[in-house]
Structure formats: C-alpha cells, structure tokens
Amino acid sequence: MKNCLLAIDQGTSATKCVLVDDHGHIVAKSAVPLGERYPQPGWVEQDAEEIWTSVQTAVRDCLARNDGVRVIGVGLSTQRESAVIWDRRTGQALTPVLSWQDRRTVALSDRIGHGAGVEAYVRERSGLPLDPMFSALKICWLLDGIDPDRRRSRAGQLVAGTIDAYLLHRLGAEAAIEVGNASRTQLLDVHTFQWDDGLLELFNIPRAALPRIAASVGRLADAGRLHPSLAAVPVAGVMADSHAALFAHGAFQPGEVKATMGTGSSVMGLAPRNAPMHQGLCLTVAWDAGQGPAQALEGNIRSAGATLRWIGELFGIGSDEAAQIAAHTSSDGIMLVPGFSGLGAPWWDAHAVGLLAGLTLKTTRNELFAAALESIAHQVADVLAAMDASGVRVSRLLVDGGPSRNAHLRQLLSGFIGRPVVHCTDPELSALGVAHLAGLGTGLWSWDDLHSLPRAQQASDVPPASEDVASQRRRWLHAVERARLRDPR
C-alpha cells in the first residue's frame, strides 16, 4: 500500500480534503460546502457543529475515492480569526462562530481603543492593529453574552479559541491552539509567543479560558474520530490557511511574498526577527515547524473576490464572467474603492466607505467591472509598498486563489509593483501546504525534500514602467483618501 498524507482545509465557504502521495501529488480530493448566516447588517456567523460535521464528511468522502493507501499523518489547515466558545468538558460549542468577516464589534473596538496609548500598546504587543477582524474582540463580545461576570471562564469551564483549537478539542486532544493561529487572536505577545496578561486584561478574557499554545508540528491529536481507519494516525501538522499557502509556495526566505486572493486577500512573507515594521502591516507568526516560531509581515485586504462577486451580482452575472469582461475593457479612469466593511492594510480604517469615482454619462457596466478588477491589484500594490518600506525588499510575488486565475489581473499587478508575479495554478494550495508540514512532522520528508516537491507555477513578464501606470496609482491613492473622509455629522 502507498503511504499518503491526508490534508484537511477548513475554510469559510467549504471544507476540503485531499490525499497526497509520497511524491507530493494529490491522488484524491473532496469538498463539503458550508453556509453562513447574516442576522444583522455586518454580522457574519457560522455553525460550529456544521463545521465539525463537514470535516468528518469531507474526510470520509476523500478516503472513499482512494482506498488503496495507508494514511501515515493528517494535516489541518483552518480559517483564521473566526472565534467560538465551547464547553471544556464536552467539546460542544456554546456560541455561534463569529466569522473573521464579522463587524459587530466595531463599537466595542472604538470603546476599548479610546484610552490614551491603547492602540499603540496593542500593536506593539500583538503585532496587529486594534481591529474587529481579530479574535480578541469577538471572544470578548461572546463572553459578554454567555459569561458576563467571567465566573465560568475563570473556573476553566469554558474554552475560547479559533477553529483549529475547536477541532483539535473535538478530536479528543487537550485544548490547544497552534501558535500561528494564536498570533491572530490579538492576545499573544508576538515577541515572546505567550499569552499576554496586559492584552487579556484589556479585552477582559481570563487566561483560564484559553487553550495552551502548541507548535505547528508534533502529535497534536489522534485522527480516529475523523474516520475509523485513522485510529492512532497522528494529526501531525496544523496551520492557519493563509500560512499554509505560504508554506506550499515554498517561500521559506524573506523577500518571497505571496498574495492569496479569495473573499479578501492575505499578502504575507517571512521577515527577519525584529525587522522594522510599517504601521500598515501586521507582524504575525507564520509557523513553528520545529525550528522555533518564524515571524512574518502581512497585509490583510478585506475585499478582493468579494468585490468581483458584488459587482457581478449587481448586474446579474457571475464573478468569473465579470472578471473576463474586465480583462478586455478599460476602466476609463474610474476608481472603485471596496470599503464595504472599512479598509484593511495598509490603512486599517474601520470607518472607510465604499466609493466609486470618475463616473460619466458614458460609463457602462464594463468600465465598472474593470475598475473592480483593478481595485484588487491596487490594494495588493499598496501592501507591497508598505513591505518595501519595512526594509524587506520583495523579489517576486507569488499569487494564488480564484481571482489570480485572471491573466489580465496578474499583468496589471506586475505593472503596478514592477516585479515578477508567479501564479500557482493548484487550487488546493492551503491543503497542500499543511500536507507538506505533516510530511515533515511524520518524517516522510526533510526540509531538502520540501524544496524539491512539485509546484505548479507560471511567471508573468514584467511590463516596462510607464507614466500611465504612475497616473493610475496616483488616482487610486486619491480615491482612497476620499473614501476615508469622515462624515461631518
């Protein structure tokens, strides 16, 4: 029987599962779609039990597609920042999962950040700006609802954490959170890699309610509860999905940066320890693969594929069709700033608004499609400029995710940043990344082996610099300024 690794990618819209053989090739895969709820404008929830069931179903379906293998290790990649609270004794979720997209904590964020020096303190300790995207505000809000006096939390009866911690606990392991995921909670000191007492006090979250912090590799759980055939098979690697994509790209050195384009976009690359950091970026932990925590700089963009989906739905077509039309149309100077729920990196402005600038009476839907596609490239270019300013010169940009399939978008992006854009054509990149990590954890592969694993990559030519590109960038930055104007009321 062939030795294989089973990789689970638990994402926002679906849970995917792949079997990867000892040559790094996918030999079977499955996917289970997931729903979201929108109880109020800006609120985005998921059901934790549905997520757990989807993981079990995806594993069962994937194994059924190839029964001539021996699974020697399991890898788990999960959505980041989404938070849930569950019962420590039973593992049952006691709250909905508040999605990373959820914005219900904007007022809470404003209140907590009102004190002098609070935002600077949070950024210095956690490496992250005070923003509703991160888990701490979500956990605080959830605890206010089910444990307002924090009595049960302080007694250790409740566990608050991210999806990786919840799933590991459901597998029967001790409540543990992988260090990269922990760094996205805004409760971890990103320099010491431990829970920070000052941040816990600020967000009113008792330490007893948090999982222990674990490395990304090791025997993190037994996979038997996923499928009977996996009894005694270790969950040998856990990573956040965006971190897993970076790992799959083989971007193991500073200067190699990836942009994962999904609903939003994560632009991330490893950074030397204690590197200077632009205020528009996050300092995060990429992984701890047995050599100590590796730090990374990251810019989080809130709306990438979501912009294409929105503009397509507005005109009754799919996002892929809108992107294809955009690839053959000029935006004619129109700028679309997708501040639907504020702007992320490098602006981190929760109060920014969506804006269309440059409309004329001859504007058609096609120019709007082009402006929507261009907004993705502009936002990634903004983050790359912040990375350059941090002293980590980006040599090339590795891209993946749905929107990155558009060749025109890649060409636009290469022109905006003046560097090669390398497209990874494998749609299961996060799953592959955590499979690579699990292979390292089980001893199937060494670090040298990881460098030589197959990667489906295609580079774009860098177009020559032009005044037109410089003009586009200036108009974009001006439009962003207008989107960030405060309501005079």
Side-chain angles (χ1 to χ4, degrees):
M1 296 180 72
K2 181 186 295 186
N3 286 337
C4 279
L5 299 157
L6 181 76
I8 302 159
D9 177 23
Q10 200 300 294
T12 306
S13 58
T15 296
K16 300 177 181 179
C17 189
V18 301
L19 273 171
V20 179
D21 68 17
D22 55 3
H23 297 292
H25 298 294
I26 293 176
V27 296
K29 57 184 176 180
S30 64
V32 177
L34 284 167
E36 292 180 319
R37 299 191 297 258
Y38 311 95
Q40 296 183 34
W43 292 30
V44 188
E45 299 178 354
Q46 291 187 292
D47 184 280
E49 191 64 32
E50 182 187 0
I51 288 175
W52 168 240
T53 301
S54 75
V55 171
Q56 293 175 303
T57 303
V59 168
R60 182 191 65 226
D61 292 351
C62 188
L63 291 174
R65 284 173 165 79
N66 196 326
D67 58 3
V69 301
R70 179 190 298 107
V71 176
I72 62 171
V74 173
L76 176 63
S77 159
T78 58
Q79 56 177 299
R80 306 185 301 170
E81 294 109 10
S82 300
V84 63
I85 297 173
W86 63 95
D87 185 286
R88 188 178 293 272
R89 183 178 61 84
T90 66
Q92 293 296 316
L94 303 175
T95 69
V97 175
L98 298 198
S99 168
W100 60 272
Q101 305 165 84
D102 189 274
R103 306 296 295 168
R104 73 187 67 185
T105 57
V106 169
L108 179 60
S109 175
D110 289 344
R111 188 165 70 248
I112 287 176
H114 184 68
V118 170
E119 292 196 16
Y121 173 82
V122 169
R123 178 178 282 280
E124 192 281 325
R125 291 297 179 90
S126 72
L128 309 172
L130 182 60
D131 188 89
M133 186 176 79
F134 304 110
S135 313
L137 288 161
K138 304 179 196 301
I139 292 170
C140 179
W141 191 94
L142 289 170
L143 287 176
D144 285 347
I146 68 168
D147 190 29
D149 62 3
R150 304 302 194 259
R151 178 181 56 83
R152 296 169 67 196
S153 302
R154 284 193 291 270
Q157 297 171 7
L158 307 179
V159 189
T162 45
I163 297 299
D164 65 309
Y166 169 71
L167 292 176
L168 287 172
H169 206 172
R170 290 302 296 263
L171 285 169
E174 173 192 1
I177 183 171
E178 184 267 334
V179 64
N181 279 290
S183 74
R184 306 301 294 180
T185 64
Q186 199 148 65
L187 299 171
L188 186 87
D189 185 321
V190 77
H191 307 287
T192 67
F193 314 113
Q194 301 296 323
W195 298 128
D196 182 84
D197 288 331
L199 293 171
L200 295 177
E201 181 180 359
L202 180 67
F203 292 104
N204 193 18
I205 299 172
R207 180 185 286 265
L210 295 176
R212 73 173 179 86
I213 299 163
S216 310
V217 291
R219 194 179 188 99
L220 297 163
D222 185 297
R225 293 189 184 181
L226 293 175
H227 192 275
S229 68
L230 300 178
V233 174
V235 177
V238 175
M239 270 197 270
D241 51 8
S242 185
H243 307 208
L246 183 68
F247 202 85
H249 277 296
F252 303 137
Q253 299 296 326
E256 294 191 319
V257 172
K258 66 90 190 175
T260 296
M261 299 176 183
T263 300
S265 186
S266 161
V267 185
M268 177 190 287
L270 294 187
R273 185 68 62 86
N274 300 319
M277 184 176 70
H278 186 282
Q279 284 297 296
L281 299 176
C282 299
L283 181 62
T284 195
V285 177
W287 53 69
D288 180 353
Q291 300 175 329
Q295 290 184 327
L297 293 177
E298 181 177 16
N300 301 102
I301 295 165
R302 290 203 174 110
S303 188
T307 307
L308 294 173
R309 185 167 60 248
W310 170 77
I311 199 74
E313 288 174 354
L314 201 62
F315 291 97
I317 67 173
S319 58
D320 286 346
E321 184 180 351
Q324 286 304 316
I325 293 171
H328 301 285
T329 308
S330 166
S331 64
D332 199 23
I334 292 171
M335 292 292 158
L336 192 165
V337 181
F340 305 115
S341 56
L343 289 172
W347 317 108
W348 291 109
D349 188 343
H351 298 282
V353 298
L355 178 141
L356 269 170
L359 297 177
T360 70
L361 288 174
K362 72 170 188 173
T363 298
T364 71
R365 67 171 196 166
N366 289 6
E367 285 81 27
L368 298 181
F369 293 158
L373 191 70
E374 288 174 10
S375 75
I376 300 173
H378 279 299
Q379 291 178 100
V380 174
D382 291 344
V383 174
L384 266 287
M387 287 192 169
D388 287 341
S390 295
V392 181
R393 174 67 182 173
V394 180
S395 58
R396 59 177 185 158
L397 181 68
L398 305 147
V399 297
D400 62 90
S404 73
R405 295 194 299 267
N406 189 289
H408 180 64
L409 173 60
R410 299 197 302 271
Q411 198 69 12
L412 274 173
L413 185 50
S414 187
F416 286 172
I417 66 175
R419 273 156 277 189
V421 170
V422 180
H423 180 218
C424 180
T425 58
D426 199 309
E428 316 302 344
L429 204 62
S430 291
L432 272 175
V434 82
H436 294 175
L437 181 71
L440 191 67
T442 58
L444 179 65
W445 295 315
S446 67
W447 278 103
D448 287 341
D449 294 330
L450 292 185
H451 284 284
S452 61
L453 287 176
R455 291 180 175 87
Q457 295 179 336
Q458 177 183 359
S460 300
D461 294 330
V462 182
S466 70
E467 179 53 36
D468 182 57
V469 166
S471 176
Q472 284 180 279
R473 293 291 293 146
R474 285 194 297 269
R475 290 199 305 273
W476 164 260
L477 294 172
H478 181 59
V480 168
E481 288 179 11
R482 296 166 77 178
R484 300 183 65 205
L485 286 174
R486 291 291 181 263
D487 187 331
R489 292 175 298 177

